[in-house]
Structure formats: structure tokens, C-alpha cells
Amino acid sequence: MRELFDIMRANPWPFGAGLFLVILMIIAENFGRGIQGGGDSGGDFSDVGGCDGGGDGGSGD
């Protein structure tokens, strides 16, 4: 464990970048769930062909 801390102290950039990416992904996931209002729909992009603009709504030709 001490060796790992020595490596991190000698070259902190890869570890700092990885930690930043993890935090960024957590924030992005929470932001996506906040827009949809819950996250019970199974994913961030589950209604891609959904109600506004896609699907079989059409103009009634």
C-alpha cells in the first residue's frame, strides 16, 4: 500500500484524471435523472423515438 502511495505522489496526473472522470460521470448521471424526473424509465435515453417529434404521430395525411 505504501508503494502505491509513493507512485501516486511521484506521478499524480493519471490518478487525478481518473478521479475527475469518475466524479464527472456521477454528476452527469444525476443530472440526466433529474431531467427525466426519477430514473425509473431504465436509462437516460430510453424514450428516443418517443412522444415529441418521433414515432407515428405524423401530421394526419
Side-chain angles (χ1 to χ4, degrees):
M1 196 66 164
R2 185 176 182 120
E3 291 85 5
L4 179 63
F5 287 133
D6 289 340
I7 292 171
M8 289 174 67
R9 201 172 297 118
N11 191 7
W13 288 109
F15 301 101
L19 182 63
F20 178 73
L21 285 177
V22 168
I23 292 171
L24 188 68
M25 293 301 288
I26 290 171
I27 292 172
E29 182 69 24
N30 289 333
F31 183 69
R33 288 183 184 173
I35 288 175
Q36 289 188 355
D40 292 334
S41 59
D44 288 340
F45 302 107
S46 62
D47 58 350
V48 171
C51 54
D52 48 347
D56 58 352
S59 60
D61 288 335

